[in-house]
Amino acid sequence: MRQIVLDTETTGLEPREGHRIIEIGCVELVDRRPTRRNFHEYINPERQIDAEAEAVHGISNAFLADKPRFADLAERLVEYLRGAELIIHNAAFDVGFLDHEFGLWRGPEAPRIADLCTVTDSLLMARRLHPGQRNGLDALCKRYSIDNSHRTLHGALLDAEILADVYLAMTGGQVALHLGGEGGDLIGEGGRGVYRGRIDAGRPRLRVVRATPDELEAHRVRLEAIQKASGGCVWLGADG
């Protein structure tokens, strides 16, 4: 499973008004593990950056003057994204800008994100999980105890790295379990991605602690109380 957590910074809010992408940051996950095969580029937008936008990300036209144009890196970006699941916070914004840039690059024959990838909007996911609450990236970091103290300004790669942590926390909590003292290696394309541990054949058997009859009865009583109070208890199963 290859996923790419993506974020962009732009000259303004609306591509239909001629605004452009000035930074793309992507973090690759394979089987929910960072591979360090990231994609990060600053881009010369060939237009001025709105003052309001610069106040958010701190990127100036002077800084971007010697950076590549989108057309210079578009082919490489397309191949990097192709076939992945994109994880984007407020996906409509970034996808709209990317499709606009592809159109400027190739015209009617330009690829679209929908042709290259599937897209998961982590903002919509967060709203389903936490209805009626704030679900911006900073709020989610606080909710999931993710350190974002180094985020004083927005930045595409920084925000993609933070979003990757948030997404993994939202969709599964603990995402890695490497037992101490065991050998292991990374397998997969280019030696990246999946951790394969080696367990010592001589290690002691794991102890299995089974519930006592009294504990099983107390558990059953508790589940039946949940069933009565809520009208449904998934842990009772088909036999409940």
Side-chain angles (χ1 to χ4, degrees), residues 98-118:
L98 287 166
D99 284 344
H100 176 70
E101 292 286 357
F102 287 146
L104 294 176
W105 169 49
R106 281 281 179 87
E109 298 180 357
R112 295 179 62 83
I113 288 296
D115 301 326
L116 301 172
C117 318
T118 59

Side-chain angles (χ1 to χ4, degrees), residues 4 20 28 40 105 111 115 131 142 221 224:
I4 292 172
R20 306 286 302 275
E28 184 185 62
H40 181 224
W105 169 49
D115 301 326
K142 183 176 182 180
V221 170
E224 288 180 350

Side-chain angles (χ1 to χ4, degrees), residues 2 99 121:
R2 181 171 181 260
D99 284 344
D121 191 331

